[in-house]
Amino acid sequence: MFVAVAGMNLGLAEDLDIGGKRVARGSRADFDLPVAASSDPATSIPVTVFHGAEPGPRILISAGIHGAEYVPVLAVQRLLSQIDAARLKGTVIIARVAHLSSFLRATVYYNPHDHKNLARVFPGSASGTQSERIAYVFTNELLKNADALIDLHGGDATESLHPFVGVYGGELAAKQYPLAKRIGLALGIPTLVRYRMDTKAQVDGNGRSPNRQAVADGKATVLVEVGDRGRRDPKDVEMLTSGLVNVLRVLHMLPEAGKPEPVPDVRWIAETASVASTKTGIFYPLKEAGMDVRKGELAGYVTDLLGKTIEELRAPADGVILYMPYAPPLNEGPSSPLVVGIPSKPE
Ligand SMILES: [Zn+2]
């Protein structure tokens, strides 16, 4: 919160310092935030900061944590021309391509150097491998300067995905939940998943994502998933760009008023159920994300390399498929689950 005190100097003290780069109030800066070399090569996070003329909410928007999820990267590029720091209230920090080496090499899920999933190594380490160093810089230079994180993802090249927003609540995020919910609804994406973070074990998960790190650091936290099977559908890019602009309007950061909230016809999901293949082979989908399924319904099957069926993937609950495998290669284990959202009452 910003509290103006009579007679206080509102000059330099209000500049923002990110990785040694100073950004004055009312100005925009585009720069590459360095991630130093260690056991593997150096990289950087391309960042744009709009440090508004007036104080207000500080929002971090990140795209490209997973390098082959393209709609968010294209949407934030379009968002850049729609914010004017001189007329902005608050601060918008945009990690335009958070995982640059993965993006440029078009690797799915994993860093091309250390083969780790950037979304499982937070808060990272200054002396770790490249994924860990990116996470460290992200946490300590970007997330640190924000009140809220909007982390943008989509269906990777191997995934069928139905667009949805995830807002983080539960005991460990109770104070931040109202802001997260406000942001989530303002995005205008009609499927909204409410994640509960009640224990540290949940925050740590199977390796921390940037979202769980944001919860641990007391930030309002929103996950956005838009874009199907590594595609770049212009309608998806437009939906995400206009949703992000509406967030800034609803938070009164832009001069224009936002659309009324809550957005009508939102499908709320308070619980998800997932199942993953226990076999490696060739996947044949029979359903796709966005379809309603009944518990036990066959959503796809896995064959061996000769074509013999060795596994059936069945819906673990009644609900809507949020995402599921799509590509023929499927590995056993939790990296490519079938996830069903179970509809609930609005919260
Ligand atoms: Zn992702």
Side-chain angles (χ1 to χ4, degrees), residues 66 69 153-154 225:
H66 290 130
E69 298 173 359
H153 291 250
E225 296 271 5

Side-chain angles (χ1 to χ4, degrees), residues 7 12 39 88 109 131 178 191 198 225 239 244 341:
L12 269 183
S39 56
L88 178 72
Y109 300 138
S131 298
T191 300
D198 292 324
E225 296 271 5
M239 172 171 74
L244 291 167

Side-chain angles (χ1 to χ4, degrees), residues 23-206:
V23 188
R25 277 231 171 269
S27 72
R28 164 181 172 167
D30 304 288
F31 56 99
D32 291 329
L33 186 59
V35 176
S38 183
S39 56
D40 47 21
T43 182
S44 62
I45 305 176
V47 170
T48 295
V49 177
F50 297 92
H51 195 32
E54 286 181 61
R58 302 174 307 162
I59 308 293
L60 169 59
I61 299 171
S62 66
I65 287 276
H66 290 130
E69 298 173 359
Y70 299 123
V71 168
V73 172
L74 302 177
V76 299
Q77 203 178 50
R78 289 186 56 187
L79 180 66
L80 299 178
S81 62
Q82 308 205 28
I83 304 172
D84 175 3
R87 302 178 72 206
L88 178 72
K89 198 181 277 185
T91 303
V92 181
I93 302 170
I94 302 176
R96 286 177 270 123
V97 191
H99 198 171
L100 188 60
S101 57
S102 173
F103 176 74
L104 294 176
R105 300 267 188 102
T107 61
V108 173
Y109 300 138
Y110 302 114
N111 180 281
H113 301 288
D114 61 26
H115 309 292
K116 291 177 183 167
N117 180 344
L118 176 55
R120 295 291 178 272
V121 300
F122 276 74
S125 154
S127 58
T129 59
Q130 193 184 81
S131 298
E132 292 161 344
R133 300 195 309 279
I134 295 168
Y136 183 85
V137 169
F138 187 102
T139 303
N140 293 286
E141 300 293 350
L142 302 178
L143 191 56
K144 188 187 82 178
N145 285 299
D147 307 311
L149 169 66
I150 307 175
D151 189 27
L152 308 177
H153 291 250
D156 236 311
T158 54
E159 288 170 338
S160 173
L161 181 128
H162 184 61
F164 70 94
V165 171
V167 291
Y168 283 70
E171 278 173 35
L172 298 182
K175 216 169 79 195
Q176 295 79 19
Y177 179 65
L179 175 58
K181 179 177 160 185
R182 210 165 158 215
I183 291 171
L185 288 169
L187 283 157
I189 295 168
T191 300
L192 203 145
V193 179
R194 214 285 301 272
Y195 295 113
R196 283 194 72 92
M197 293 287 120
D198 292 324
T199 65
K200 187 173 175 300
Q202 284 172 325
V203 170
D204 289 338
N206 184 20

Side-chain angles (χ1 to χ4, degrees), residues 34 87 100 102 114 128 173 229 238 243 265 282 301 327 338 344:
R87 302 178 72 206
L100 188 60
S102 173
D114 61 26
R229 289 172 263 183
E238 169 55 31
D265 302 327
I282 296 183
Y301 59 94
L338 160 69
S344 65

